[in-house]
Amino acid sequence: MGTPPIRLHDTYYHDNFLYVLAHVERLYASFLTPFETGFLSDFRALSISAQCLYIRMANRKGRFFRPAKLIYPEIKNTVTAWQELHKNGFISSPVVNDEWDALDLVRLFTVSELKEVLKSVGVEAKQAKREELILLLFETFTLPKMRDKLLALEEVVEMAKLEQLEMIRLFFFGHPWGDMSQFVIRDIGNAKFETYDEELFKPQFRSYDEVSQLFDLHQQYRALKKAMLVEDEALIDEAVSALTYVPENLSPVAESIVKKFIMRTGKWYEQNKFLERAAITYSRHSLPESRERLVRVLIGLGKKDDAKEVLQRIAAEPETHSEWLFASDQLVKLSGKKQVLTTTKVMKEAPELMVPKPDGSLNIEEHVLITLREQGFEGAHTENYIWRSLFGLVFWEELYSQERALIHQPLQRVPLDLQDRRYLKSRYQAFEHFLSVFESKQQLQEKVHVTMQAKENIVNPWVGWHPDLAAHMEALFRHLSLEQLKEISLEMARNPLENGTGLPDLFVWNSNDYHFWEVKSPTDHLSAHQVFWINFMKEHGVKVEVLRIVYN
């Protein structure tokens, strides 16, 4: 018999929300403004029923709701709760300012209800689907008239204080897309999180300005996405111009939003042949992805000297394996020298293996494993998992120690400082020092074994809790030297979030030998990360090759 499911009490979500409020107050009391503290005091003044109803709305999508459809058994008097929320400014009558608001409102109603609205003005749409009905509504009514027609069907309310709520979520989760469902995943046992000391959580934000900047960036990105949906060039230019200044020292979360903003806009300009605008957009920040696109656009514009200058900056200080390979190959191309590209060279030198063509029941890696097992090898499709798991198990305490890592809330999967380029160098030095303590392979293997037992199934994005993880680790330690295990772990430690991809697909072994294989089908290509790791492993004496597949 399996473990019985965990049943949460009726107002579990209320407990979690109150925890969020208290946590934000405790960490950020010194610079919360009346905007946030007013929300906290107003919310706490509500009855429990009204609080629960507001949280129920906050945990759903959208901001418009039909009260008649929101019935919860734990909220005994919903009518009174709705009245209390309205009286205290937590809900209001719906306001429809633009087409997006109207679309959010329309989504509340069924197909038959939308047909009824159209029929009331003589528009028959018996066979129309939802998308067609929405178009007809926009063609038939002005926005105010559409609002009035829909509200005549049934009462609708608009959730208020959304900006305050979003700021509270931002303070707690550290990013604008925080999701309360993470509490549920933990509470019902679907995910097991590391245990932290509440008193040792560290604030993610150092000032209110930092939070405000992040909030504004998120709002600007939302405006951009809306403009992209309707492909309105003027709105897109307006959204881009709103991003007037992008400081280099961004927080990791702000940087991720800027990255999405720049890449999404730049690619749209490229696709629509606005290459000059694309180049300006990509040059707004020195993100690795934007630097690569900037080079390609400059070459497309015929500005090879400018492209070369960017490439030389990348080559001098590459931030990722992809950047390193891209800069190396592109500089060769621009020099005019005849030289085989790195990826092409590696593929040409790779041995071949003939296997049956996959029929859908097995993937290509599984076919290769069958062939290698016939040759006397054990093996597994380990890819990134085995090396990421080694890294996560060896450095677990270094990763999650609250004395060293920036952990700001109990549901955090990745320490914040590992997402921040500003801290990577100092964190690498700490990893290096920690690993230097292990003087034998046996010591390191014992460390991995103890950590596996103590932390079994706890969420760690580097560790894959595969049923055969222990056996794979045992094989890894049997065949590789201490120096090899250390060097690969330390290379990953230079940038743990970036450097954990591109590792070989297969790990095979027998009593005397082992090999790592990067499997490539006839139509597959090597990535920059894969080329880097193959070269790096070879430099340290690891048996690794690309295996080119030929179908028989």
Side-chain angles (χ1 to χ4, degrees), residues 69-82:
K69 304 293 183 187
L70 297 186
I71 305 297
Y72 300 101
E74 75 276 10
I75 303 174
K76 301 305 179 188
N77 192 337
T78 53
V79 174
T80 304
W82 285 116

Side-chain angles (χ1 to χ4, degrees), residues 149-198:
K149 282 285 185 181
L150 292 170
L151 296 188
L153 293 176
E154 188 176 288
E155 182 190 12
V156 175
V157 298
E158 180 175 354
M159 192 176 174
K161 299 185 184 288
L162 282 174
E163 287 196 354
Q164 292 97 318
L165 179 63
E166 193 166 342
M167 284 294 281
I168 295 295
R169 281 177 173 157
L170 184 54
F171 273 110
F172 181 81
F173 289 103
H175 51 76
W177 43 90
D179 185 354
M180 294 293 290
S181 67
Q182 291 298 305
F183 281 101
V184 182
I185 291 170
R186 179 198 65 183
D187 295 343
I188 64 175
N190 280 6
K192 186 178 174 185
F193 287 86
E194 183 65 275
T195 302
Y196 297 114
D197 184 338
E198 290 279 334

